[in-house]
Amino acid sequence: MNLTFFDQFMSPQILGIPLTILALLTPSIIFPTQNTRWLTNRFSTLQLWTINSFTKQLMLPINKTGHQWSIILTSLMTMLLMINLLGLLPYTFTPTTQLSLNMGLAIPMWLATVLTGLRNQPTTSLGHLLPEGTPILLTPILIIIETISLFIRPLALGVRLTANLTAGHLLIQLTSTAVLTLLPTVPTLSLLTMIILFLLTILELAVAMIQAYVFVLLLSLYLQENT
Amino acid sequence: MLSRLGLRAAPAALKSLAPSLSVGVLHASRPFHTGQHCLAPLPPLPEKGGQVRHGLIPEEFFQFLYPKTGVTGPYMLGTGLLFYLLSKEIYIVNHETIAGACTVGVLIYIVKKYGGDVAAFADRLNEEKVAKALAVKNDSINHLESIIEQEKKEQWRAEGRSYLFDAKRNNIAMLLETNYRERLLTVYNEVKKRLDYQIAVQQLTRRKEQDHMINWIEKNVAQSITAQQEKESIAKCISDLKMLSKSPQAAV
C-alpha cells in the first residue's frame, strides 16, 4: 500500500460500512473487567489503583453535587488516554484526530455544565460573566468579552485535542519519511533525523496522555464553576 | 412487578415485530445474573502468568514445534515469513515502518526500565491489603491473649482469698478489742470520778465538823474561864516557873 500523509486520518470503512464504532470501542478491550476476587492480579490492582487515585484527585475541588460527574469524567479520561496511546502504533486510526468526534464530546459536556449552572444557581452562573473587582466603566465591554469566551470554550476544547493529535501524527509521518528518503543517500543525516524521531515519539507519548488529561481537567473546572 | 408484566406481554410483542428484529430483541432482552452466584471459594490464581518468549510469542508455540523442527524451528519460520512478506512486497516498507519501529523501540525501552518497579508496586499494594487484614486478625488474637492472662491472674488472686479473709478477720478482732478496752477505761474513769467526789464530800464534811467543834469548844472554854480562875492559874504558873528555874541551875 502506498500511503499518502493523510491516509491515516481517513475514517476507516470496509466496502462502505463505517468502522469508526469499532475503532472507538476497541481500546476498551484492554481494560480487565471487575474482578470478584479480593486479591487480583497485578494488572487489575494497578488499574484499580490508578482509577481510584485519578478520580479522587479530579474530584477534590468539586463539591458534593458535582461528584455525580465522577464516573463520566473518569471513563472519558480512560477512553481518550487509550485512543491517543493506541494511535501512536503504526497503521492505526486515531479517532480523536477527527474534529467531529472531539466536538461531539466537547459541546454536549460543556453545554451540560452550563445548563446545570443556569438551572441550579442562575445568579451565580451569570455572575461569572463579570470577574470580581472590575472598574464599573468596563462592565459592559467585559460582559460581552466574557460571553464570547464562554461560547468559545467548547470550540477550544475540541480543536485543542484535534490539533494536538493531528499535528503530532503528521510530524511523525513527515520525519519518518525524511529518515526513509535520506537513508540511501546520506545515512548519517538519516541517523540524526532518527534521533529527532525518537525524541518526537517520546513527546507524542507525553502529549497523548497530557491532552486527554487536560480535556477532562478543563471540563471539571467548568463544572466547579457551575455547581 | 413491572418486569412480570413485561414478561407476560413479551411473546405477543415479539410476534408483532418484523422477523428480522424479533430475534435480536429476544437475545437482547435475555435476563442476566438471574441465578445465585457461586459462593464457594474460587480456585487460587496461578503463581505466574503464561511463559512468553520475546514478550510476544507463548512458550507453548515453541514446544509445539520442537518435536519436528528442534530449537531453531520457530525462528526459521519467523524469519522466512518476514522475508517472504518483504520480498513479495506484501508488506511495503514505508514511513510508517520507521515510525512504528521508533515507537516500538521506545515502548520496549520503557517496559524494560520501569517494568520491575511497576510490578513491585502492584505487589506492594496487594501485600498492604493482606497486611491490613492480618493486622486485624493479629490484633484480636493479642487482645484475647491478654484477656486470658488477666483471667489467670484473677484466678491466682482468688486462690489467696483465704489468707486475705484471715487477715481481715484479725484486723477486725483487734479493732473490736481495742474499742472494748477503751470503753472499759472510760467506765473506770467515770466511776472513779464519782467515788472521788463522794470521798471529797465526806472529808469536807468531817473537817467542817472538826472546825466547828473546835471553835465551839474554844468559845465555851473561853467563856467558862472566870476572872478568879485566871488569877489562880497565872499564880500557879509563876510558882511553877520559879521551881523550874531552880532545878535547872542545880542540874548545870
mmCIF file of all heavy atoms in Angstrom, chain B residues 111-148:
data_model
loop_
_atom_site.group_PDB
_atom_site.id
_atom_site.type_symbol
_atom_site.label_atom_id
_atom_site.label_comp_id
_atom_site.label_asym_id
_atom_site.label_seq_id
_atom_site.Cartn_x
_atom_site.Cartn_y
_atom_site.Cartn_z
ATOM 1 N N VAL B 111 9.387 -0.304 29.019
ATOM 2 C CA VAL B 111 8.995 -1.510 29.750
ATOM 3 C C VAL B 111 10.195 -2.135 30.446
ATOM 4 O O VAL B 111 10.119 -2.524 31.619
ATOM 5 C CB VAL B 111 8.319 -2.519 28.797
ATOM 6 C CG1 VAL B 111 8.219 -3.875 29.442
ATOM 7 C CG2 VAL B 111 6.954 -2.036 28.415
ATOM 8 N N LYS B 112 11.332 -2.169 29.715
ATOM 9 C CA LYS B 112 12.500 -2.791 30.339
ATOM 10 C C LYS B 112 12.960 -1.995 31.547
ATOM 11 O O LYS B 112 13.377 -2.542 32.558
ATOM 12 C CB LYS B 112 13.655 -2.869 29.317
ATOM 13 C CG LYS B 112 13.474 -3.928 28.284
ATOM 14 C CD LYS B 112 14.245 -5.175 28.657
ATOM 15 C CE LYS B 112 14.210 -6.151 27.520
ATOM 16 N NZ LYS B 112 13.383 -7.291 27.753
ATOM 17 N N LYS B 113 12.873 -0.666 31.443
ATOM 18 C CA LYS B 113 13.436 0.147 32.518
ATOM 19 C C LYS B 113 12.520 0.167 33.725
ATOM 20 O O LYS B 113 12.968 0.014 34.860
ATOM 21 C CB LYS B 113 13.632 1.576 31.992
ATOM 22 C CG LYS B 113 14.379 2.434 32.945
ATOM 23 C CD LYS B 113 15.206 3.472 32.217
ATOM 24 C CE LYS B 113 16.037 4.204 33.266
ATOM 25 N NZ LYS B 113 16.166 5.604 32.998
ATOM 26 N N TYR B 114 11.201 0.365 33.498
ATOM 27 C CA TYR B 114 10.315 0.594 34.634
ATOM 28 C C TYR B 114 9.401 -0.575 34.948
ATOM 29 O O TYR B 114 8.613 -0.503 35.876
ATOM 30 C CB TYR B 114 9.456 1.844 34.368
ATOM 31 C CG TYR B 114 10.277 3.083 34.229
ATOM 32 C CD1 TYR B 114 10.361 3.758 33.014
ATOM 33 C CD2 TYR B 114 11.006 3.578 35.295
ATOM 34 C CE1 TYR B 114 11.127 4.879 32.881
ATOM 35 C CE2 TYR B 114 11.771 4.704 35.160
ATOM 36 C CZ TYR B 114 11.838 5.351 33.957
ATOM 37 O OH TYR B 114 12.603 6.466 33.807
ATOM 38 N N GLY B 115 9.532 -1.664 34.165
ATOM 39 C CA GLY B 115 8.599 -2.768 34.369
ATOM 40 C C GLY B 115 8.705 -3.374 35.749
ATOM 41 O O GLY B 115 7.701 -3.610 36.424
ATOM 42 N N GLY B 116 9.956 -3.609 36.203
ATOM 43 C CA GLY B 116 10.147 -4.221 37.508
ATOM 44 C C GLY B 116 9.572 -3.381 38.626
ATOM 45 O O GLY B 116 8.917 -3.887 39.544
ATOM 46 N N ASP B 117 9.798 -2.056 38.523
ATOM 47 C CA ASP B 117 9.308 -1.170 39.582
ATOM 48 C C ASP B 117 7.789 -1.193 39.650
ATOM 49 O O ASP B 117 7.201 -1.226 40.733
ATOM 50 C CB ASP B 117 9.767 0.267 39.315
ATOM 51 C CG ASP B 117 11.244 0.416 39.550
ATOM 52 O OD1 ASP B 117 11.802 -0.446 40.262
ATOM 53 O OD2 ASP B 117 11.837 1.364 39.030
ATOM 54 N N VAL B 118 7.168 -1.154 38.462
ATOM 55 C CA VAL B 118 5.699 -1.139 38.437
ATOM 56 C C VAL B 118 5.147 -2.430 39.014
ATOM 57 O O VAL B 118 4.187 -2.431 39.794
ATOM 58 C CB VAL B 118 5.197 -0.889 37.003
ATOM 59 C CG1 VAL B 118 3.715 -1.119 36.898
ATOM 60 C CG2 VAL B 118 5.522 0.523 36.575
ATOM 61 N N ALA B 119 5.792 -3.565 38.657
ATOM 62 C CA ALA B 119 5.322 -4.848 39.180
ATOM 63 C C ALA B 119 5.489 -4.906 40.686
ATOM 64 O O ALA B 119 4.597 -5.374 41.414
ATOM 65 C CB ALA B 119 6.096 -5.990 38.519
ATOM 66 N N ALA B 120 6.636 -4.387 41.177
ATOM 67 C CA ALA B 120 6.859 -4.378 42.627
ATOM 68 C C ALA B 120 5.831 -3.499 43.322
ATOM 69 O O ALA B 120 5.350 -3.831 44.407
ATOM 70 C CB ALA B 120 8.275 -3.870 42.928
ATOM 71 N N PHE B 121 5.469 -2.374 42.673
ATOM 72 C CA PHE B 121 4.467 -1.501 43.267
ATOM 73 C C PHE B 121 3.122 -2.205 43.379
ATOM 74 O O PHE B 121 2.447 -2.131 44.414
ATOM 75 C CB PHE B 121 4.347 -0.244 42.408
ATOM 76 C CG PHE B 121 3.312 0.704 42.876
ATOM 77 C CD1 PHE B 121 3.490 1.413 44.044
ATOM 78 C CD2 PHE B 121 2.147 0.891 42.167
ATOM 79 C CE1 PHE B 121 2.543 2.290 44.486
ATOM 80 C CE2 PHE B 121 1.189 1.763 42.600
ATOM 81 C CZ PHE B 121 1.384 2.459 43.763
ATOM 82 N N ALA B 122 2.739 -2.918 42.294
ATOM 83 C CA ALA B 122 1.457 -3.633 42.327
ATOM 84 C C ALA B 122 1.473 -4.712 43.404
ATOM 85 O O ALA B 122 0.500 -4.875 44.149
ATOM 86 C CB ALA B 122 1.172 -4.255 40.956
ATOM 87 N N ASP B 123 2.626 -5.426 43.508
ATOM 88 C CA ASP B 123 2.724 -6.449 44.552
ATOM 89 C C ASP B 123 2.623 -5.829 45.932
ATOM 90 O O ASP B 123 2.007 -6.392 46.847
ATOM 91 C CB ASP B 123 4.052 -7.205 44.423
ATOM 92 C CG ASP B 123 4.032 -8.149 43.240
ATOM 93 O OD1 ASP B 123 2.912 -8.507 42.804
ATOM 94 O OD2 ASP B 123 5.111 -8.535 42.760
ATOM 95 N N ARG B 124 3.224 -4.614 46.067
ATOM 96 C CA ARG B 124 3.189 -3.971 47.377
ATOM 97 C C ARG B 124 1.764 -3.576 47.737
ATOM 98 O O ARG B 124 1.356 -3.692 48.896
ATOM 99 C CB ARG B 124 4.096 -2.760 47.385
ATOM 100 C CG ARG B 124 4.670 -2.496 48.755
ATOM 101 C CD ARG B 124 5.420 -1.207 48.770
ATOM 102 N NE ARG B 124 4.529 -0.119 48.421
ATOM 103 C CZ ARG B 124 4.916 1.017 47.849
ATOM 104 N NH1 ARG B 124 6.170 1.185 47.553
ATOM 105 N NH2 ARG B 124 4.064 1.952 47.554
ATOM 106 N N LEU B 125 0.985 -3.113 46.735
ATOM 107 C CA LEU B 125 -0.407 -2.757 47.007
ATOM 108 C C LEU B 125 -1.171 -3.973 47.536
ATOM 109 O O LEU B 125 -1.897 -3.887 48.525
ATOM 110 C CB LEU B 125 -1.084 -2.247 45.737
ATOM 111 C CG LEU B 125 -0.765 -0.830 45.300
ATOM 112 C CD1 LEU B 125 -1.451 -0.550 43.990
ATOM 113 C CD2 LEU B 125 -1.226 0.172 46.323
ATOM 114 N N ASN B 126 -0.959 -5.113 46.854
ATOM 115 C CA ASN B 126 -1.649 -6.326 47.304
ATOM 116 C C ASN B 126 -1.206 -6.740 48.703
ATOM 117 O O ASN B 126 -2.019 -7.141 49.540
ATOM 118 C CB ASN B 126 -1.374 -7.474 46.321
ATOM 119 C CG ASN B 126 -2.429 -7.524 45.232
ATOM 120 O OD1 ASN B 126 -3.382 -6.761 45.256
ATOM 121 N ND2 ASN B 126 -2.256 -8.435 44.296
ATOM 122 N N GLU B 127 0.118 -6.628 48.936
ATOM 123 C CA GLU B 127 0.617 -7.038 50.246
ATOM 124 C C GLU B 127 0.075 -6.155 51.357
ATOM 125 O O GLU B 127 -0.203 -6.645 52.458
ATOM 126 C CB GLU B 127 2.145 -6.978 50.270
ATOM 127 C CG GLU B 127 2.797 -8.291 49.915
ATOM 128 C CD GLU B 127 4.262 -8.112 49.636
ATOM 129 O OE1 GLU B 127 4.888 -7.275 50.323
ATOM 130 O OE2 GLU B 127 4.769 -8.781 48.725
ATOM 131 N N GLU B 128 -0.069 -4.844 51.046
ATOM 132 C CA GLU B 128 -0.620 -3.958 52.076
ATOM 133 C C GLU B 128 -2.047 -4.351 52.415
ATOM 134 O O GLU B 128 -2.453 -4.336 53.574
ATOM 135 C CB GLU B 128 -0.584 -2.508 51.584
ATOM 136 C CG GLU B 128 0.742 -1.852 51.781
ATOM 137 C CD GLU B 128 0.801 -0.503 51.114
ATOM 138 O OE1 GLU B 128 -0.264 0.023 50.743
ATOM 139 O OE2 GLU B 128 1.900 0.010 50.962
ATOM 140 N N LYS B 129 -2.786 -4.730 51.356
ATOM 141 C CA LYS B 129 -4.159 -5.183 51.584
ATOM 142 C C LYS B 129 -4.181 -6.382 52.534
ATOM 143 O O LYS B 129 -4.933 -6.423 53.506
ATOM 144 C CB LYS B 129 -4.749 -5.603 50.230
ATOM 145 C CG LYS B 129 -6.128 -5.145 49.962
ATOM 146 C CD LYS B 129 -6.467 -5.586 48.547
ATOM 147 C CE LYS B 129 -7.900 -5.342 48.245
ATOM 148 N NZ LYS B 129 -8.257 -5.835 46.938
ATOM 149 N N VAL B 130 -3.296 -7.374 52.224
ATOM 150 C CA VAL B 130 -3.263 -8.584 53.041
ATOM 151 C C VAL B 130 -2.800 -8.247 54.448
ATOM 152 O O VAL B 130 -3.323 -8.773 55.439
ATOM 153 C CB VAL B 130 -2.338 -9.631 52.388
ATOM 154 C CG1 VAL B 130 -2.091 -10.772 53.335
ATOM 155 C CG2 VAL B 130 -2.940 -10.144 51.110
ATOM 156 N N ALA B 131 -1.811 -7.334 54.530
ATOM 157 C CA ALA B 131 -1.263 -6.996 55.845
ATOM 158 C C ALA B 131 -2.317 -6.336 56.722
ATOM 159 O O ALA B 131 -2.362 -6.570 57.927
ATOM 160 C CB ALA B 131 -0.058 -6.073 55.686
ATOM 161 N N LYS B 132 -3.167 -5.509 56.088
ATOM 162 C CA LYS B 132 -4.218 -4.877 56.884
ATOM 163 C C LYS B 132 -5.139 -5.917 57.483
ATOM 164 O O LYS B 132 -5.495 -5.858 58.667
ATOM 165 C CB LYS B 132 -5.029 -3.916 55.997
ATOM 166 C CG LYS B 132 -4.624 -2.477 56.162
ATOM 167 C CD LYS B 132 -5.673 -1.569 55.571
ATOM 168 C CE LYS B 132 -5.144 -0.975 54.292
ATOM 169 N NZ LYS B 132 -6.085 -0.081 53.637
ATOM 170 N N ALA B 133 -5.541 -6.892 56.649
ATOM 171 C CA ALA B 133 -6.447 -7.915 57.171
ATOM 172 C C ALA B 133 -5.758 -8.735 58.258
ATOM 173 O O ALA B 133 -6.350 -9.047 59.298
ATOM 174 C CB ALA B 133 -6.907 -8.827 56.033
ATOM 175 N N LEU B 134 -4.465 -9.084 58.011
ATOM 176 C CA LEU B 134 -3.735 -9.863 59.005
ATOM 177 C C LEU B 134 -3.591 -9.089 60.303
ATOM 178 O O LEU B 134 -3.641 -9.662 61.394
ATOM 179 C CB LEU B 134 -2.340 -10.205 58.478
ATOM 180 C CG LEU B 134 -2.219 -11.493 57.679
ATOM 181 C CD1 LEU B 134 -0.794 -11.655 57.196
ATOM 182 C CD2 LEU B 134 -2.603 -12.688 58.517
ATOM 183 N N ALA B 135 -3.403 -7.767 60.164
ATOM 184 C CA ALA B 135 -3.246 -6.948 61.361
ATOM 185 C C ALA B 135 -4.511 -6.994 62.209
ATOM 186 O O ALA B 135 -4.438 -7.071 63.436
ATOM 187 C CB ALA B 135 -2.927 -5.508 60.973
ATOM 188 N N VAL B 136 -5.667 -6.961 61.532
ATOM 189 C CA VAL B 136 -6.917 -7.055 62.291
ATOM 190 C C VAL B 136 -6.966 -8.370 63.068
ATOM 191 O O VAL B 136 -7.254 -8.424 64.270
ATOM 192 C CB VAL B 136 -8.117 -6.941 61.339
ATOM 193 C CG1 VAL B 136 -9.385 -7.324 62.034
ATOM 194 C CG2 VAL B 136 -8.213 -5.557 60.780
ATOM 195 N N LYS B 137 -6.615 -9.481 62.317
ATOM 196 C CA LYS B 137 -6.665 -10.786 62.952
ATOM 197 C C LYS B 137 -5.699 -10.840 64.134
ATOM 198 O O LYS B 137 -6.041 -11.274 65.233
ATOM 199 C CB LYS B 137 -6.315 -11.860 61.916
ATOM 200 C CG LYS B 137 -6.366 -13.261 62.459
ATOM 201 C CD LYS B 137 -5.922 -14.258 61.417
ATOM 202 C CE LYS B 137 -4.474 -14.577 61.618
ATOM 203 N NZ LYS B 137 -4.032 -15.793 60.954
ATOM 204 N N ASN B 138 -4.452 -10.366 63.916
ATOM 205 C CA ASN B 138 -3.447 -10.443 64.974
ATOM 206 C C ASN B 138 -3.823 -9.579 66.171
ATOM 207 O O ASN B 138 -3.587 -9.955 67.318
ATOM 208 C CB ASN B 138 -2.077 -10.026 64.443
ATOM 209 C CG ASN B 138 -1.473 -11.084 63.573
ATOM 210 O OD1 ASN B 138 -1.877 -12.239 63.642
ATOM 211 N ND2 ASN B 138 -0.529 -10.718 62.749
ATOM 212 N N ASP B 139 -4.403 -8.435 65.876
ATOM 213 C CA ASP B 139 -4.818 -7.576 66.985
ATOM 214 C C ASP B 139 -5.837 -8.270 67.862
ATOM 215 O O ASP B 139 -5.747 -8.240 69.096
ATOM 216 C CB ASP B 139 -5.419 -6.279 66.446
ATOM 217 C CG ASP B 139 -4.340 -5.261 66.163
ATOM 218 O OD1 ASP B 139 -3.234 -5.477 66.665
ATOM 219 O OD2 ASP B 139 -4.610 -4.284 65.467
ATOM 220 N N SER B 140 -6.825 -8.892 67.210
ATOM 221 C CA SER B 140 -7.849 -9.538 68.038
ATOM 222 C C SER B 140 -7.264 -10.731 68.784
ATOM 223 O O SER B 140 -7.619 -10.969 69.943
ATOM 224 C CB SER B 140 -9.043 -9.955 67.188
ATOM 225 O OG SER B 140 -8.708 -11.003 66.358
ATOM 226 N N ILE B 141 -6.302 -11.456 68.152
ATOM 227 C CA ILE B 141 -5.661 -12.575 68.856
ATOM 228 C C ILE B 141 -4.903 -12.062 70.078
ATOM 229 O O ILE B 141 -5.002 -12.620 71.183
ATOM 230 C CB ILE B 141 -4.720 -13.348 67.915
ATOM 231 C CG1 ILE B 141 -5.528 -14.184 66.932
ATOM 232 C CG2 ILE B 141 -3.789 -14.238 68.698
ATOM 233 C CD1 ILE B 141 -4.673 -14.958 65.952
ATOM 234 N N ASN B 142 -4.142 -10.964 69.888
ATOM 235 C CA ASN B 142 -3.372 -10.421 71.009
ATOM 236 C C ASN B 142 -4.284 -9.947 72.128
ATOM 237 O O ASN B 142 -4.008 -10.160 73.315
ATOM 238 C CB ASN B 142 -2.509 -9.248 70.532
ATOM 239 C CG ASN B 142 -1.343 -9.728 69.710
ATOM 240 O OD1 ASN B 142 -1.003 -10.910 69.761
ATOM 241 N ND2 ASN B 142 -0.748 -8.847 68.953
ATOM 242 N N HIS B 143 -5.367 -9.327 71.715
ATOM 243 C CA HIS B 143 -6.308 -8.829 72.710
ATOM 244 C C HIS B 143 -6.862 -9.978 73.542
ATOM 245 O O HIS B 143 -6.916 -9.922 74.775
ATOM 246 C CB HIS B 143 -7.426 -8.087 71.984
ATOM 247 C CG HIS B 143 -8.436 -7.477 72.886
ATOM 248 N ND1 HIS B 143 -8.108 -6.582 73.872
ATOM 249 C CD2 HIS B 143 -9.768 -7.645 72.969
ATOM 250 C CE1 HIS B 143 -9.188 -6.224 74.516
ATOM 251 N NE2 HIS B 143 -10.219 -6.853 73.981
ATOM 252 N N LEU B 144 -7.255 -11.062 72.825
ATOM 253 C CA LEU B 144 -7.798 -12.208 73.545
ATOM 254 C C LEU B 144 -6.754 -12.851 74.435
ATOM 255 O O LEU B 144 -7.054 -13.281 75.555
ATOM 256 C CB LEU B 144 -8.340 -13.235 72.545
ATOM 257 C CG LEU B 144 -9.631 -12.801 71.850
ATOM 258 C CD1 LEU B 144 -9.986 -13.787 70.761
ATOM 259 C CD2 LEU B 144 -10.757 -12.733 72.839
ATOM 260 N N GLU B 145 -5.486 -12.907 73.967
ATOM 261 C CA GLU B 145 -4.437 -13.490 74.807
ATOM 262 C C GLU B 145 -4.236 -12.681 76.067
ATOM 263 O O GLU B 145 -4.057 -13.239 77.159
ATOM 264 C CB GLU B 145 -3.118 -13.574 74.016
ATOM 265 C CG GLU B 145 -2.966 -14.864 73.250
ATOM 266 C CD GLU B 145 -1.693 -14.904 72.455
ATOM 267 O OE1 GLU B 145 -0.866 -13.989 72.592
ATOM 268 O OE2 GLU B 145 -1.526 -15.861 71.687
ATOM 269 N N SER B 146 -4.262 -11.352 75.928
ATOM 270 C CA SER B 146 -4.077 -10.540 77.134
ATOM 271 C C SER B 146 -5.234 -10.740 78.095
ATOM 272 O O SER B 146 -5.063 -10.749 79.315
ATOM 273 C CB SER B 146 -3.918 -9.070 76.749
ATOM 274 O OG SER B 146 -5.145 -8.552 76.349
ATOM 275 N N ILE B 147 -6.442 -10.950 77.530
ATOM 276 C CA ILE B 147 -7.595 -11.213 78.394
ATOM 277 C C ILE B 147 -7.383 -12.515 79.150
ATOM 278 O O ILE B 147 -7.689 -12.617 80.340
ATOM 279 C CB ILE B 147 -8.894 -11.253 77.569
ATOM 280 C CG1 ILE B 147 -9.262 -9.837 77.130
ATOM 281 C CG2 ILE B 147 -10.015 -11.842 78.364
ATOM 282 C CD1 ILE B 147 -10.491 -9.784 76.269
ATOM 283 N N ILE B 148 -6.831 -13.546 78.430
ATOM 284 C CA ILE B 148 -6.578 -14.835 79.087
ATOM 285 C C ILE B 148 -5.594 -14.656 80.237
ATOM 286 O O ILE B 148 -5.779 -15.193 81.336
ATOM 287 C CB ILE B 148 -6.034 -15.854 78.065
ATOM 288 C CG1 ILE B 148 -7.139 -16.279 77.106
ATOM 289 C CG2 ILE B 148 -5.478 -17.062 78.766
ATOM 290 C CD1 ILE B 148 -6.660 -17.162 75.989
#
